[in-house]
Amino acid sequence: MTENDIFRALADPTRRAVFEKLAAGRMNATALREGMAISQPAISQHLSVLRTARLVKEMREGRFVFYEVDPEGLALVAGWMAKYRAYWPARVDALKDLLKDMDQ
Amino acid sequence: MTENDIFRALADPTRRAVFEKLAAGRMNATALREGMAISQPAISQHLSVLRTARLVKEMREGRFVFYEVDPEGLALVAGWMAKYRAYWPARVDALKDLLKDMDQ
DNA sequence: TCGACACATAAGCATACACTTATTTGTCGA
DNA sequence: TCGACAAATAAGTGTATGCTTATGTGTCGA
């Protein structure tokens, strides 16, 4: 789970889509696959990459494996971002919203 | 300059190193190359990718081209992060520092 | 104005990566 | 216990990517 693992994991649009789906709530691999034009092994491989990056974590339950967002990976992205905070533009609304949410 | 451009740009360790160097201050391509075991075209190509992602911007001055961090790209990463703020771990110190800095 | 320099572009190459189909492993319910 | 299902792994393939050397383009100073 290095910075490299994370950014390489996030570089693929399909993986970001998977991650986004999981952000809505935990889900098993088959449910995750629904609506995506992709094979079962492909999803499995993507999940493996995301898991290595600690962007998701798995919870085995019988023959199902539920996946959910792992905050650890996000924290590392945030850590990377923090290094460049001097360059964060004040005008970016997204950041302001961010701040508001965190300030509670 | 899409989300995809950004994350693909950040997926390469050499490009992140270049970006980090630029975060210390603007620099031309040749200066940027110093200390890196890489050819001149390689740096030029990396800068092109970073520029497309709006992670850096260029300023031509005579025969030099100075590069510097473009906040635009960082803002997009922040925007992506913001979507998952529900998962941000309170315990992550980096995030707290982040918050402190932003709260000024 | 001409040689040196800064940088970009062209072309080619080896490797990494995302995907596929086939198969394996493991768990459930009838 | 056996057939169906969930998921992972194996193996192979086309394309993307990061690198190189060679060359082009533009700007400077002697």
Side-chain angles (χ1 to χ4, degrees):
Chain A
M1 177 254 206
T2 65
E3 201 167 75
N4 208 50
D5 290 329
I6 307 248
F7 284 114
R8 284 208 11 262
L10 291 175
D12 184 75
T14 304
R15 276 194 293 268
R16 287 199 308 278
V18 166
F19 184 80
E20 184 146 18
K21 268 196 164 185
L22 287 177
R26 63 182 232 142
M27 215 177 288
N28 66 22
T30 302
L32 216 38
R33 193 186 160 200
E34 275 163 29
M36 312 197 83
I38 200 172
S39 68
Q40 176 266 318
I43 283 280
S44 185
Q45 287 157 18
H46 282 311
L47 285 168
S48 172
V49 172
L50 288 167
R51 197 166 355 100
T52 300
R54 299 216 40 190
L55 283 161
V56 308
K57 55 188 172 187
E58 65 173 41
M59 293 185 59
R60 300 184 166 274
E61 289 182 19
R63 66 177 150 162
F64 297 90
V65 179
F66 286 90
Y67 282 91
E68 58 185 61
V69 169
D70 185 345
E72 208 61 44
L74 284 175
L76 215 143
V77 177
W80 180 85
M81 283 279 301
K83 289 191 289 186
Y84 309 109
R85 60 185 180 274
Y87 291 98
W88 292 11
R91 64 163 191 75
V92 178
D93 292 349
L95 285 176
K96 291 190 182 162
D97 292 346
L98 211 81
L99 174 61
K100 238 182 299 169
D101 282 316
M102 293 182 71
D103 205 9
Q104 288 163 2
Chain B
M1 176 251 208
T2 65
E3 202 167 73
N4 208 50
D5 290 331
I6 307 249
F7 284 115
R8 285 209 8 265
L10 291 175
D12 183 75
T14 304
R15 275 194 293 268
R16 288 200 307 279
V18 165
F19 184 81
E20 185 147 15
K21 268 195 165 186
L22 287 178
R26 66 182 228 141
M27 215 176 290
N28 65 24
T30 303
L32 217 38
R33 194 186 160 200
E34 275 164 29
M36 313 196 82
I38 201 174
S39 68
Q40 176 265 317
I43 283 278
S44 185
Q45 287 157 18
H46 282 311
L47 286 169
S48 172
V49 172
L50 288 168
R51 198 166 354 104
T52 300
R54 299 218 40 190
L55 283 161
V56 308
K57 57 188 171 187
E58 66 174 38
M59 294 185 59
R60 300 184 166 274
E61 290 184 19
R63 66 177 152 165
F64 298 91
V65 180
F66 287 91
Y67 283 91
E68 59 185 63
V69 169
D70 186 345
E72 209 60 46
L74 284 174
L76 216 144
V77 177
W80 180 86
M81 284 278 302
K83 289 192 289 187
Y84 310 109
R85 58 185 179 275
Y87 291 98
W88 292 12
R91 64 163 192 73
V92 177
D93 293 348
L95 283 177
K96 290 190 182 164
D97 292 345
L98 212 79
L99 174 60
K100 239 181 297 167
D101 281 317
M102 294 181 69
D103 204 10
Q104 288 164 2

